[in-house]
Amino acid sequence: MSEATAVTSQPLTRSVDETSVCELLSASQQEDIGSAEATPDADDGYARCYYSMTLDNDPDPSGYEVTVFDSAKALRETVDGTDVMPTKSLPLQLEGRSAAEQMTYGDQWSGAVTVDLGHGRYLYVEKYAKGHSVSERELSQQARSAAKKVLHHLIAR
């Protein structure tokens, strides 16, 4: 059995809530991505952590968002109508799991990856930064890398 197949077939072992969502990236991983602060948030159907790389009053915020959704319904309910220019989703495999990537452009650029965790749950990881301050390729690589790290915390090893 390949490593990708082993990861895909393994069940989720962690429930995620507001008290644990910011633990999906270890302290050393947070340091590696340049996170200055981890801020949890939760509502009915999801738990989210913002890993900010800039201070609250910075006019050009950058960082990561990591969200675990309990259902497709919860994921769909977070879609908003902000004035950005997204590209079409690109299907991909991440650690042997079905996923999609989407880039968004405007004043803020972001690379986002949504991963099917199985059992009706989804992982959403977004890397955001000021437009043109980082390349599209770098945003994509950073979002995918962070998603892989989070997956390894969510999946039984």
Side-chain angles (χ1 to χ4, degrees):
M1 180 184 306
S2 73
E3 183 179 333
T5 303
V7 169
T8 303
S9 63
Q10 292 179 340
L12 297 172
T13 60
R14 294 184 67 170
S15 63
V16 180
D17 60 22
E18 188 172 8
T19 61
S20 64
V21 68
C22 289
E23 297 169 3
L24 293 176
L25 288 176
S26 69
S28 65
Q29 289 171 327
Q30 289 179 43
E31 187 175 313
D32 289 344
I33 65 170
S35 176
E37 180 179 26
T39 306
D41 177 36
D43 203 347
D44 193 28
Y46 70 86
R48 170 183 301 143
C49 187
Y50 293 101
Y51 297 96
S52 178
M53 298 168 66
T54 53
L55 300 174
D56 286 340
N57 57 355
D58 192 313
D60 299 315
S62 65
Y64 292 81
E65 173 189 333
V66 173
T67 308
V68 176
F69 293 96
D70 293 338
S71 67
K73 180 178 186 262
L75 173 62
R76 283 191 303 271
E77 288 176 351
T78 64
V79 175
D80 63 26
T82 57
D83 185 22
V84 293
M85 298 175 287
T87 60
K88 292 182 178 178
S89 295
L90 171 69
L92 58 103
Q93 290 284 308
L94 198 67
E95 298 296 304
R97 294 185 173 272
S98 295
E101 178 180 61
Q102 188 166 18
M103 302 302 293
T104 306
Y105 307 98
D107 291 338
Q108 283 284 124
W109 283 17
S110 67
V113 178
T114 304
V115 183
D116 183 349
L117 296 175
H119 307 289
R121 295 175 70 191
Y122 295 87
L123 169 66
Y124 175 84
V125 176
E126 176 183 312
K127 168 63 168 98
Y128 58 92
K130 179 183 178 186
H132 302 283
S133 67
V134 64
S135 74
E136 178 180 341
R137 182 180 179 145
E138 288 172 302
L139 279 175
S140 171
Q141 291 172 340
Q142 291 168 351
R144 289 181 188 200
S145 176
K148 288 176 184 179
K149 291 173 184 172
V150 171
L151 277 172
H152 286 278
H153 283 274
L154 288 171
I155 308 300
R157 299 294 294 162

